[in-house]
Every structure is written in structure tokens, then in C-alpha cells.
Amino acid sequence: MSRTKRITLGITAGALALGAGLGVTGMASAATTPSPSATSSTSADSSASTDGFRGHKGGDRGHVAADLASKLGVDEAKVTEAIRAFREANKPTAAPTEGAKPDRTAQDAAMAKSLATALGVGESKVTAALTEIRAAGQAERAAALKTKLDTAVKDGTLTQAEADAVTKAVEKGVIGGGGH
């Protein structure tokens, strides 16, 4: 392999490692992915929250509840309690099977139905609000990643081509960081 190819490969690997690090950071600060119900045939990471968003163990620390309460026109305490009740009812019963992914669509539908019932709001209204909140979070994470990559390019840590490759990898789901 030529020296130029090895250098390019090394730089690309470094960019991907940086992207993976940013992705892990983004996922850790984002909202959590829902866990499957006890009747689901697949299981999710037991540290994941069941509020439909990724992030810290235990959930959204009130951000999703506040946003959801605002969008639905209901009391935040009621939303917080409804999310807590849903999580309790849907705690995973087993460790995840390696490579298995939970059915996100089914989980989101179950959560929307549960919250709609608990809050006395239409299920479609809850689904739409959750979708808006998730999209806003993804846009924020994408903007933060772009800012970090732009800074790395400006500082000479990455080339623009490497930053573009990281962005594309995130968008395609190859590495974490906010794309879906």
C-alpha cells in the first residue's frame, strides 16, 4: 500500500473515531430510546429509558415532559407521572440479545397510546407531539455536530473532506450522533 494511501486511511480512521466519540457524546446527552414491553419478542438495553428518546439512564430529566406538556396543553406533573408509569410498566425483563434491535415503531405506538390514555388526550396528538420533540432534538444534535466539525476543520484537526465523511456516516447511521 502506498504511503499516501496509508496516511489517507489513517486520517479517515481518525475522523471516524472522532465521529464515533461525538456520536457517543451526542447519544449520552440526547433523549432515550424506548424499551420494549414485557410481551415484546425483542429486548432493549436495560439502561435505556422508555420515553422514546435516547440519553441518560432514567430518561429525559424533565425536558421531554416539559415539552410534551406544553405541546399538549396539560400539566407537566401529569405528563411526568404518565411517563414514569409507562416506564415502570415496560421495564425490560432480560438483557438484550446481541445485535437485536427493539421494534421502535411498536414502542412509540405503545407509549403514545399509554400517554394519551393517562392524559386524556388524543393518541394522534401525542404521537405528533413526540415526533416534533424528537425531530427538534435530532436537529439540535446535528447542529452541535456541525459546529464541532467546523471547529475541527478551522483548527486543522480535520480536513473538510474528513468532516464531510463524518457527517455522512452519522446521517447514514454508520456511527451515532443524531442522524435517523
Side-chain angles (χ1 to χ4, degrees):
M1 186 181 316
S2 73
R3 182 171 189 220
T4 305
K5 265 189 171 175
R6 281 185 283 177
I7 291 172
T8 302
L9 186 58
I11 291 172
T12 302
L16 288 176
L18 172 67
L22 293 173
V24 169
T25 302
M27 288 188 302
S29 65
T32 56
T33 301
S35 298
S37 65
T39 59
S40 179
S41 61
T42 61
S43 57
D45 181 351
S46 62
S47 68
S49 171
T50 56
D51 65 359
F53 301 85
R54 290 189 197 111
H56 303 289
K57 182 175 181 176
D60 66 336
R61 305 292 184 237
H63 299 292
V64 172
D67 290 348
L68 193 55
S70 175
K71 289 186 180 300
L72 298 176
V74 297
D75 183 58
E76 184 178 340
K78 272 183 86 172
V79 175
T80 300
E81 178 57 28
I83 290 172
R84 187 204 56 76
F86 179 78
R87 288 178 182 157
E88 287 297 318
N90 292 282
K91 281 185 179 178
T93 57
T97 305
E98 191 169 329
K101 290 186 179 181
D103 181 354
R104 183 175 181 159
T105 303
Q107 292 170 342
D108 288 351
M111 182 179 179
K113 183 175 182 175
S114 176
L115 293 177
T117 300
L119 301 172
V121 178
E123 190 175 331
S124 62
K125 189 173 179 179
V126 173
T127 299
L130 289 171
T131 300
E132 287 177 26
I133 292 166
R134 181 177 290 129
Q138 288 174 342
E140 287 175 18
R141 289 185 301 279
L145 176 63
K146 181 175 180 356
T147 299
K148 287 179 181 180
L149 292 174
D150 288 348
T151 300
V153 169
K154 182 180 173 189
D155 293 346
T157 306
L158 294 175
T159 66
Q160 186 60 54
E162 292 165 338
D164 293 343
V166 170
T167 300
K168 184 174 182 177
V170 169
E171 289 172 354
K172 298 293 183 182
V174 174
I175 58 176
H180 270 282

